[in-house]
Amino acid sequence: MKAKIALASWVVAVVLAFLALLLPPTGYIDHSVLLLVVQFLLLCATFLGVDGYVNILSRKK
């Protein structure tokens, strides 16, 4: 289930980024859209276990 949610959040982030580039003014992504894309990508990374991997690396130091 986590993998499906992670994939869905990644797809939403990519679609939002491309739609923001295509909407007027073309080539400009508003700050609010960037924040939303970042939040979806962070959700994706969290579900995929990146936060657990960072914790493992910090314990080895």
Side-chain angles (χ1 to χ4, degrees), residues 13 16-17 19-21 29-39:
L16 280 175
L19 284 177
L21 282 173
I29 300 179
D30 191 49
H31 181 68
S32 60
V33 176
L34 283 177
L35 287 176
L36 190 59
V37 168
V38 167
Q39 287 177 353

Side-chain angles (χ1 to χ4, degrees), residues 9 37-47:
S9 66
V37 168
V38 167
Q39 287 177 353
F40 276 114
L41 291 176
L42 184 61
L43 178 68
C44 177
T46 301
F47 277 135

